[in-house]
Amino acid sequence: MENTDAVRLLTDDECWDRLAEQQLGRLVTHVGDVLDIFPVNYTVDGESLVFRTAEGSKLTELTINDQVLFEVDEYTDTDAWSVVVRGTARRLDTPEEVRAADELPLRPWIPTLKYNYVRITATSLSGRDIERGEEPDRYGVQDY
């Protein structure tokens, strides 16, 4: 019999708590027919995410289409969770915004110069908490 209690939806507050536990996520961009996914390290700032990036395709794509997805997850042998943020991405460009972002606990994982800060403002969150376990018998007699 399927364990319907194995997946629990997370509240928005629980999603933000989970996002704050991690530093690495995946940014999904969409320009025309092209979808791209980029691993980025980030920090939570209030109810938004901030990351740094160098000039290149990621920043160009965000300039063309600011609608993004951002996904973060974690798992162990016994449980897992996943959070997806839908939102808009904007390069921080005023001196005040950059100064404030410089104060955030955000350092590049790769030793390269990254002068651009990007803030993702969430328009919606979805998250799931998952209890991992053995797969049920797919071929035996099932309860209906």
Side-chain angles (χ1 to χ4, degrees), residues 22-127:
Q22 298 298 314
Q23 297 177 356
L24 184 67
R26 287 164 290 284
L27 172 72
V28 179
T29 61
H30 184 209
V31 176
D33 293 337
V34 177
L35 287 165
D36 275 319
I37 188 165
F38 303 94
V40 295
N41 67 299
Y42 71 96
T43 191
V44 172
D45 184 31
E47 290 193 349
S48 66
L49 305 171
V50 177
F51 66 91
R52 287 170 61 182
T53 187
E55 300 289 332
S57 59
K58 188 182 323 153
L59 194 58
T60 300
E61 290 177 23
L62 295 173
T63 303
I64 296 169
N65 181 3
D66 65 356
Q67 300 299 301
V68 297
L69 294 174
F70 195 85
E71 193 270 342
V72 178
D73 54 43
E74 181 180 64
Y75 70 93
T76 68
D77 289 340
T78 58
D79 57 19
W81 60 264
S82 176
V83 172
V84 174
V85 178
R86 291 182 184 278
T88 56
R90 185 180 69 81
R91 181 179 174 206
L92 303 182
D93 52 12
T94 69
E96 296 79 19
E97 290 174 323
V98 172
R99 256 193 310 278
D102 276 339
E103 298 299 317
L104 295 172
L106 182 61
R107 301 294 170 261
W109 281 19
I110 301 170
T112 57
L113 293 175
K114 294 183 165 99
Y115 292 109
N116 303 289
Y117 286 102
V118 175
R119 179 179 305 279
I120 298 173
T121 303
T123 55
S124 69
L125 299 168
S126 63

